[in-house]
Amino acid sequence: MPRVTVVPADRLVIVDGLALTFDFNAPERMHALQWDGKQGHIEWLGSGDEPPHNEPLAADSYAGQVAPFVELCKEQKARLEQAAAEAEAARLAEYNSEEARFERLRSGRDQRLAATDYLLMPDYPLSDDQRIILQVYRQALRDLPSQEGAPWDGGAEDTPWPEIPNWVKA
């Protein structure tokens, strides 16, 4: 049997160290329930003439007093896992959407263009041949999003990036 702690006022159920907070129904005036795997107790709040007190729980109390909270915790955990799986599926769908892949492709392209901007400064020492090679490279970058197959994988391994001239220190 699991170890269980329940604190209704905090909307807290802990089962074997897994703590979840969520709305659940508990007996009125129950302050807390503690179960160590074999036995436990319920802490009751006082009311009127009745003072606060603890009610011991023996092994035969588990099914009626403790197990329902364990089941609630399992159900809540399953709901949270389902919601997380749906959120991850939506995130992946967005990440892999054509629009997002184009955005990543353009961003990678813009970074590569920016990395060679300094070479086009009028006072940068490039030969005419180097300037032409650089202009061809930069034009190939600008044309990349309009090529057939774009956006590929959004600028990752499957993207046919033009080869940067080996003399460029980008």
Side-chain angles (χ1 to χ4, degrees):
M1 284 187 249
R3 298 176 61 89
V4 181
T5 300
V6 178
V7 184
D10 293 337
R11 303 173 31 248
L12 174 68
V13 178
I14 305 171
V15 176
D16 285 337
L18 173 66
L20 296 176
T21 55
F22 59 98
D23 292 325
F24 59 89
N25 292 323
E28 191 175 331
R29 297 183 9 256
M30 185 172 108
H31 175 66
L33 179 147
Q34 297 285 332
W35 182 261
D36 69 7
K38 297 177 186 169
Q39 62 183 0
H41 66 274
I42 297 177
E43 301 168 20
W44 296 101
L45 299 170
S47 73
D49 299 345
E50 190 177 328
H53 65 281
N54 289 349
E55 174 188 338
L57 297 173
D60 61 356
S61 304
Y62 178 82
Q65 301 280 352
V66 182
F69 293 109
V70 173
E71 198 55 39
L72 285 172
C73 190
K74 285 180 186 176
E75 290 169 2
Q76 179 65 11
K77 180 181 177 197
R79 279 191 292 275
L80 292 172
E81 288 172 346
Q82 178 66 30
E86 289 170 4
E88 179 64 5
R91 186 193 70 78
L92 286 174
E94 168 57 27
Y95 181 81
N96 289 318
S97 72
E98 185 173 76
E99 181 180 333
R101 287 182 291 138
F102 265 117
E103 184 64 34
R104 291 193 309 276
L105 176 66
R106 288 184 189 104
S107 176
R109 182 246 351 240
D110 293 348
Q111 289 173 359
R112 285 169 169 80
L113 284 168
T116 60
D117 282 349
Y118 74 98
L119 296 168
L120 295 178
M121 301 303 277
D123 62 344
Y124 195 84
L126 280 183
S127 69
D128 288 342
D129 288 344
Q130 287 175 319
R131 187 168 303 278
I132 291 170
I133 290 169
L134 181 62
Q135 288 171 340
V136 167
Y137 167 72
R138 289 173 58 89
Q139 187 60 52
L141 285 172
R142 285 191 290 277
D143 293 343
L144 195 62
S146 62
Q147 287 185 9
E148 187 177 329
W152 302 283
D153 58 355
E157 294 176 5
D158 292 340
T159 300
W161 292 108
E163 209 170 308
I164 189 166
N166 59 5
W167 47 265
V168 173
K169 295 179 179 118

